Amino acid sequence: MRRRRARAAAGLRDAAERTTDHLDGRAPVYEAGRLLRKAFPEHWSFLLGEIALYSFVVLLVTGVWLTLFFRPDMTEVVYHGAYTPLDGVRMSAAYRSTLHISFDVRGGLLIRQLHHWAALVFVAAIGVHMLRVFFTGAFRRPREINWMIGVTLLLLALAEGFAGYSLPDDLLSGTGLRIAQGVMLSVPVVGTYVGFLVLGGQFPGHEVIPRLYSLHVLLVPGLLLALVTAHLILVFHLKHTQWAGRGRTEADVVGKPLYPQFAASSLGLLCTVSGVLTLLAGVAQVNPIWKYGPYRPDVVSSGSQPDWYVGFLEGSLRLVPPWETSVAGHTVMWNVFLPAVVLPLALFGVLYAYPFFEAWVTGDRQEHHLADRPRDRPVRTGLGVAGLSFYAVLLAAGGNDILAHTFKVSLNALTWTFRVCLVLLPPLSLMVTKRLCLALREAEAERPAKGEETGEVRQTVSGGYTERRVPVDEETRCAVRARRVPRPLTSPEDADGEASRAGRLRATLNSWYSQDGGQGPGVQERAPEPGAGRGPQR
């Protein structure tokens, strides 16, 4: 019996090897096996991107279900459904089908709200994930392309959210579409043509909802799916960034293998995200379109607010003064064109260009696989906080009427307060954040030599007092030793010995980036590792 079992086991091994060789000749079987052992570092901040991914999965599943019942049609009909307050009211077929999903389809309201909550979390997770990438410097070489893909994903997520938000054709979403039409009309010279081309004629017309439906369920999701796939492929190819620590260098990755440890924890996160979103859909009402009623061009609901991810555009529209200019018979509405067209283009232009701008200013052309701590890059961290404060002011200004009504303050005074904050708060945030980072870095530089504070004070023999300290742990020492600061550059000179204008600008910006870049006593700067690349994984 033992010989038979041994022969059977050997036969099975031979059959498995032949089958695997046969398949490997036609598909990358052995390479996929090595891929399953790829290491992924462990840290809670690395889960932000996974939350965005799994929110997108929930969006796809619920979106497919909703397409089975939604009717993208602007034909006027009379409602006779389960929601009696709107019985006999004229409305579009799109709005009626949304009411039908909410009140007549079993589980329809739950799926609708689950889809909406997943969209809100999806955009938020992308934004917070990109903040983590920015503050840790994970956008640097060789990940510039992945950063640009992430910015494009954020842009597409905003467009996808706005398109889906507008599909029900209720009074709130119709008001948002009306504002979007005004933004298109504000474009000088060609604004009217752009509005007619996008809307298919006069607003609201019969083409806008079918066109938004095609964008929402076909074009934009396809682009999102393609870019998410490309993003994940680059993460696998370039390997994941990791925090500096004991045993972690630029040439390796320390973490859990993809299978089975990382796959199991990731599957658990998928279940957690799906469960939390479903719980929110069941207990937290969102977008109750039956309260708003169908859209009418002559009606605007009081206190209407868009979803949070476009709130900054609403705030910018409310803060810009009523500036207009007449040129050759054309009226240029700066109070709409600047905040709703120029500002978003400038914002995303800065996001796309920043990795290359920082590399040009600092002269850093090395590959980076260790994440920076925000305190180690005071200027970059200060710029990020300044951008966040700018966004926060615009977001709060998007609800200035609600805030004025709630707190019983003057709407005009509140608007001027937001205007002053929009100008003063970003540079103030930059200076305070930079000083704070430098103070944290200076205090940390003394810790390896003096040790960690324990809070225990003892009296000495001579009658004095001293605090007991303990040695700093090895993880903290490794993190401090791994710090890199940009080295100052000199202004390049031309053949006549004079620096070019671009060279002087680069030298000035570089001195600003690297000022106060000393690391303080007791800390040694680790020299860059030329040629450090995608080395072995552990």
Side-chain angles (χ1 to χ4, degrees):
M1 292 296 293
R2 285 195 297 269
R3 286 195 296 270
R4 287 200 193 98
R5 285 197 294 267
R7 286 196 299 270
L12 288 175
R13 284 195 298 271
D14 293 340
E17 289 178 0
R18 289 195 300 270
T19 303
T20 305
D21 292 339
H22 179 78
L23 292 175
D24 190 65
R26 294 157 178 80
V29 176
Y30 289 129
E31 185 176 346
R34 290 191 295 270
L35 186 63
L36 294 178
R37 303 301 300 169
K38 186 176 182 64
F40 279 83
E42 298 181 75
H43 195 268
W44 66 266
S45 63
F46 299 149
L47 301 180
L48 298 171
E50 294 185 54
I51 293 175
L53 174 62
Y54 296 141
S55 301
F56 183 58
V57 171
V58 175
L59 277 173
L60 290 179
V61 174
T62 55
V64 169
W65 189 90
L66 289 172
T67 57
L68 302 177
F69 302 95
F70 181 74
R71 182 182 173 189
D73 190 357
M74 292 292 288
T75 304
E76 188 177 54
V77 297
V78 179
Y79 178 72
H80 297 289
Y83 189 66
T84 54
L86 291 177
D87 186 58
V89 176
R90 292 183 175 274
M91 59 186 63
S92 65
Y95 185 71
R96 185 180 66 175
S97 67
T98 309
L99 291 175
H100 175 71
I101 293 172
S102 302
F103 295 106
D104 299 313
V105 178
R106 186 180 297 273
L109 183 58
L110 176 67
I111 300 299
R112 231 193 96 238
Q113 296 202 148
L114 176 58
H115 189 74
H116 200 108
W117 275 114
L120 297 178
V121 173
F122 177 58
V123 179
I126 290 179
V128 179
H129 174 64
M130 291 193 65
L131 287 176
R132 197 275 301 175
V133 172
F134 177 82
F135 284 117
T136 62
F139 56 82
R140 296 170 297 176
R141 183 182 177 187
R143 296 176 180 84
E144 301 96 335
I145 295 178
N146 230 7
W147 168 263
M148 298 176 69
I149 290 177
V151 175
T152 307
L153 282 172
L154 177 61
L155 179 60
L156 290 176
L158 295 176
E160 177 77 346
F162 180 76
Y165 170 84
S166 304
L167 285 181
D169 194 36
D170 59 285
L171 184 58
L172 184 61
S173 65
T175 302
L177 274 177
R178 187 66 164 179
I179 295 174
Q181 186 217 17
V183 171
M184 289 183 282
L185 293 177
S186 71
V187 179
V189 182
V190 298
T192 305
Y193 303 100
V194 172
F196 267 73
L197 178 64
V198 173
L199 302 177
Q202 292 286 351
F203 180 83
H206 288 268
E207 299 294 331
V208 57
I209 295 299
R211 292 186 178 188
L212 287 174
Y213 182 75
S214 300
L215 291 174
H216 184 70
V217 305
L218 184 62
L219 179 60
V220 179
L223 293 175
L224 284 171
L225 192 58
L227 288 177
V228 166
T229 303
H231 184 76
L232 294 177
I233 290 174
L234 286 177
V235 168
F236 272 79
H237 176 65
L238 299 173
K239 76 183 183 182
H240 206 293
T241 56
Q242 60 183 344
W243 293 100
R246 185 170 53 186
R248 303 186 186 102
T249 66
E250 297 279 8
D252 64 2
V253 177
V254 179
K256 297 183 297 186
L258 174 61
Y259 181 84
Q261 286 89 344
F262 180 79
S265 61
S266 188
L267 180 61
L269 182 61
L270 169 61
C271 297
T272 301
V273 170
S274 303
V276 171
L277 290 175
T278 305
L279 180 64
L280 283 173
V283 302
Q285 179 176 270
V286 61
N287 197 23
I289 53 114
W290 54 89
K291 291 186 176 181
Y292 310 139
Y295 176 68
R296 288 177 49 185
D298 61 329
V299 176
V300 176
S301 58
S302 176
S304 58
Q305 304 290 325
D307 277 342
W308 71 268
Y309 46 82
V310 290
F312 75 101
L313 291 178
E314 177 78 12
S316 63
L317 286 169
R318 298 186 183 197
L319 290 187
V320 176
W323 295 335
E324 294 182 1
T325 303
S326 295
V327 179
H330 295 277
T331 301
V332 181
M333 302 173 59
W334 299 109
N335 57 324
V336 179
F337 180 67
L338 289 178
V341 179
V342 176
L343 176 64
L345 291 177
L347 170 64
F348 281 94
V350 169
L351 291 177
Y352 278 115
Y354 185 81
F356 308 98
F357 170 77
E358 183 175 301
W360 176 72
V361 169
T362 61
D364 185 3
R365 305 296 179 183
Q366 300 292 327
E367 288 193 5
H368 297 274
H369 302 287
L370 291 178
D372 286 335
R373 296 181 305 168
R375 70 182 65 180
D376 293 335
R377 301 288 182 157
V379 175
R380 181 204 294 156
T381 305
L383 290 174
V385 174
L388 284 176
S389 64
F390 185 83
Y391 175 84
V393 172
L394 292 181
L395 185 62
N400 61 352
D401 54 342
I402 304 296
L403 294 174
H405 176 74
T406 302
F407 296 102
K408 309 301 181 184
V409 296
S410 169
L411 177 62
N412 188 54
L414 188 62
T415 301
W416 273 102
T417 301
F418 282 132
R419 287 172 179 171
V420 173
C421 291
L422 190 66
V423 176
L424 298 182
L425 192 58
L428 182 63
S429 301
L430 171 61
M431 292 186 292
V432 171
T433 302
K434 183 180 177 183
R435 289 293 105 192
L436 180 61
C437 290
L438 292 173
L440 288 173
R441 204 166 67 181
E442 183 178 354
E444 186 182 58
E446 302 175 354
R447 290 166 61 191
K450 297 183 178 180
E452 294 276 7
E453 297 179 356
T454 63
E456 298 181 11
V457 179
R458 296 179 178 179
Q459 187 175 16
T460 63
V461 177
S462 59
Y465 293 92
T466 181
E467 181 184 17
R468 189 176 72 89
R469 292 176 177 259
V470 296
V472 177
D473 61 277
E474 188 61 27
E475 285 290 332
T476 303
R477 291 180 180 273
C478 291
V480 173
R481 285 198 298 266
R483 178 191 300 155
R484 294 182 182 178
V485 294
R487 296 179 177 178
L489 300 176
T490 57
S491 178
E493 298 181 352
D494 55 22
D496 299 330
E498 296 183 358
S500 63
R501 184 175 301 175
R504 291 195 299 269
L505 175 62
R506 182 188 183 191
T508 302
L509 292 174
N510 177 264
S511 64
W512 179 55
Y513 261 75
S514 58
Q515 66 181 340
D516 299 322
Q519 297 182 311
V523 179
Q524 296 179 353
E525 177 184 357
R526 190 180 68 176
E529 302 173 4
R534 297 181 295 277
Q537 305 181 17
R538 304 220 313 269

